[in-house]
Structure formats: C-alpha cells, structure tokens
Amino acid sequence: CKKQLHLFLHAIALVLAYFGIYAVFKSHNDAKPVPLQNLYSMHSWIGMTAVVIYTLQYVIAFVYFYLRAGSNDFRGAVKRKHMPTGKLLVAAVLAAVLSGIQEKLTFNGTCTFVPKDDDDDHDDDMDHHSRILHEGHESGEMTFDCYLGNVIGILVFFLGCYVLYLLFNPKQVETENTSSKDNLELAELEELTAMDIS
C-alpha cells in the first residue's frame, strides 16, 4: 500500500512539473511585444535538470519496483541507487526553488534599492515596473515584495534542510537498508514459492 501511494504521489508531482514547464515556455513565447528567451538562467537549468532526472527516476522505479522487471539482485542494485538519487533530487529542487525566488525578485527589481530622486536621467534607467514598486520609497527602504520573497526563501531553505537532515539521519539510513534487505528476501521467497507451486 505504501509503495502504491509513493508511486501515485510522485506521478502527480511529475504531471504538475511538466504542466509548470509548459506554462513557463508558453508565457515566454507569448510575451508581448516580443517573446522572452527560454532557459536563460541558472534557475531554468537546475530546474530542467531536476525534472529530467526525476522522470528517469520515476520510469526506472515503475519498471523495476512496480512491474518487478529483472532479477532480485538487479532490483536490489537499482534500489541502492534509487534512494541516494532521490535525496539528490530533493537538494536539486531546493536549489531550483531558491534560485527561482531570487530570479523573480531580481527580474521585478523588487529588491533593488533606489533613492528617492527627481533626476529624470536616473529615472529613465529604471523599467516601468520598478518605478511603480519603488515610487515614494526612501533610499535603502525595502518594499513589501522584497520582504515577502526573502521570508518565503528562508522558510523554504529551512524546510529543505530539515528534510535533508531526516533523509541523511543515520537511523533513517539504517531503516532504509534494513527495509531494502527485507524486501529482497521477501521477493526471493515469493519466487521460490511460485516455483514450488508450478
């Protein structure tokens, strides 16, 4: 039951990831007056790399753990790679989320401190959105968007660190190894039972 739930939840996550990628590419390509460049940032590259590895991870797990293709020894070898790869993906997703928040704040000019200034030349250097965000703000004063983005980033960072701590906790690693061994022994017993019946 746990394995089916694990498979189902990751299937939903995978579908949502591809839907998000489609939405981003569509918004870039449909941007006016001219389309925006795709895959121009570190956030994009980390995110795409994570999705590709995640897809391979899911397909391999589906074939070898759900459909039970291959021998027990081979499935055991795959599982020993499957778990650390999953932990790597958690770190990659964390990096993608944090770099995405930073990119959005930078793109909007939200955290760019602009002195209150009547100089038209200086004002022309700012895009329209930045002028709206910083209108009426004194030099060095952060906007609400900047506070919000940084607070969300800090919360995501600590949540990610806590998840990684749980995954790399020695007790968790020992439990995973024991579970992997028990599952392989159970699979071998099932195969021997099936052979005896036939």
Side-chain angles (χ1 to χ4, degrees):
C1 182
K2 287 184 178 180
K3 187 180 295 185
Q4 283 80 2
L5 179 62
H6 186 74
L7 190 74
F8 176 71
L9 292 176
H10 280 291
I12 293 176
L14 195 60
V15 170
L16 292 176
Y18 276 101
F19 179 77
I21 290 173
Y22 167 77
V24 170
F25 273 83
K26 181 172 174 57
S27 68
H28 283 188
N29 295 334
D30 295 347
K32 304 297 181 183
V34 293
L36 297 175
Q37 179 67 43
N38 291 307
L39 301 175
Y40 60 85
S41 66
M42 184 63 69
H43 164 69
S44 304
W45 285 94
I46 294 175
M48 289 297 294
T49 301
V51 170
V52 169
I53 296 175
Y54 189 40
T55 302
L56 293 174
Q57 174 93 327
Y58 186 87
V59 171
I60 292 172
F62 183 84
V63 171
Y64 290 106
F65 301 146
Y66 187 75
L67 300 181
R68 302 187 66 78
S71 66
N72 288 331
D73 289 340
F74 186 76
R75 286 200 299 271
V78 171
K79 188 168 185 177
R80 285 191 290 273
K81 298 294 187 294
H82 179 78
M83 291 180 174
T85 303
K87 296 173 183 178
L88 174 65
L89 281 169
V90 172
V93 170
L94 177 62
V97 171
L98 293 176
S99 60
I101 293 173
Q102 181 61 51
E103 178 186 316
K104 186 64 176 177
L105 294 177
T106 302
F107 186 77
N108 286 347
T110 302
C111 293
T112 303
F113 301 126
V114 180
K116 189 175 180 181
D117 191 302
D118 294 330
D119 187 352
D120 292 337
D121 293 335
H122 174 76
D123 203 41
D124 289 340
D125 292 336
M126 302 171 59
D127 61 33
H128 176 67
H129 190 58
S130 292
R131 285 198 297 271
I132 293 175
L133 285 170
H134 294 284
E135 185 175 358
H137 285 271
E138 298 294 337
S139 175
E141 181 181 349
M142 275 201 292
T143 63
F144 173 76
D145 288 355
C146 187
Y147 277 114
L148 180 62
N150 282 301
V151 168
I152 293 173
I154 289 294
L155 292 176
V156 169
F157 173 76
F158 281 112
L159 175 62
C161 288
Y162 181 65
V163 170
L164 290 173
Y165 166 76
L166 293 178
L167 290 174
F168 285 98
N169 189 304
K171 291 183 179 180
Q172 175 65 20
V173 173
E174 183 180 349
T175 301
E176 290 174 357
N177 293 335
T178 303
S179 175
S180 178
K181 182 179 178 181
D182 291 344
N183 288 339
L184 287 174
E185 290 177 351
L186 180 60
E188 291 174 356
L189 181 61
E190 289 175 351
E191 287 189 2
L192 289 173
T193 303
M195 290 173 62
D196 290 339
I197 294 175
S198 60

